[in-house]
Structure formats: C-alpha cells, structure tokens
Amino acid sequence: MLRIRVEEQPGATTLYVEGKLAGESVDELCRVWTSKRTEAPEKEMVVDLCSVRLVDSAGRKLLSQMHGWGTRLCGTGLCIGPLIEEI
C-alpha cells in the first residue's frame, strides 16, 4: 500500500511518500508527480521518501527518472539512504 501526501509551498511542492513503492503504486506516484509538475513547472519538486519501506525495480527506475528531471529526492534509513546516494 502506498500513501502520498502533497504539501504546497510558495517555491516548492513536496510529495511525502509512505509505504511500499512497488507494482501499481509506482504508477500512482508517477501520476501524482506528473500532475504536480504540469500544474506548476516553475516550482521545485521534492519527494520525501523517509517513510518508504520497500522500493522495487520499477520504483527505482521512476525515482531515477524523477531525479533526472530535477526532482530532489530526500530520505534516510537503511533502504532509502543508499538508494538515493546511488541515484
């Protein structure tokens, strides 16, 4: 299960992601992220992964694509910290 909370600030949009970034959840995060980027392309996009417990290969690919488009990934922990460093 995946939960995404969106926080809008004047200069940035932050997506707080919780749960498992795997399977169909990857498509949901992609949909929300694309929608928010389209709404306000001038804002910085931040994806907070602190509460993510699992990332599958499709989730890893999406995070890499997001990073390539200028999205800042943040998070800590045994799973997420090394993943962000790798990306």
Side-chain angles (χ1 to χ4, degrees), residues 1-71:
M1 180 167 167
L2 183 76
R3 180 175 175 205
I4 304 168
R5 182 172 53 91
V6 179
E7 185 176 296
E8 299 283 351
Q9 298 157 342
T13 300
T14 303
L15 305 180
Y16 292 93
V17 183
E18 300 175 26
K20 297 179 180 180
L21 184 55
E24 293 179 13
S25 298
V26 175
D27 294 335
E28 179 64 14
L29 177 58
C30 183
R31 187 190 64 75
V32 172
W33 174 73
T34 301
S35 172
K36 292 300 174 182
R37 280 191 63 240
T38 303
E39 286 176 19
E42 73 285 353
K43 284 186 174 184
E44 177 186 23
M45 287 292 298
V46 179
V47 176
D48 186 310
L49 301 165
C50 287
S51 297
V52 172
R53 296 186 314 262
L54 173 85
V55 180
D56 71 1
S57 60
R60 181 183 297 259
K61 182 177 178 182
L62 175 61
L63 293 174
S64 293
Q65 290 171 339
M66 293 167 119
H67 180 72
W69 279 90
T71 298

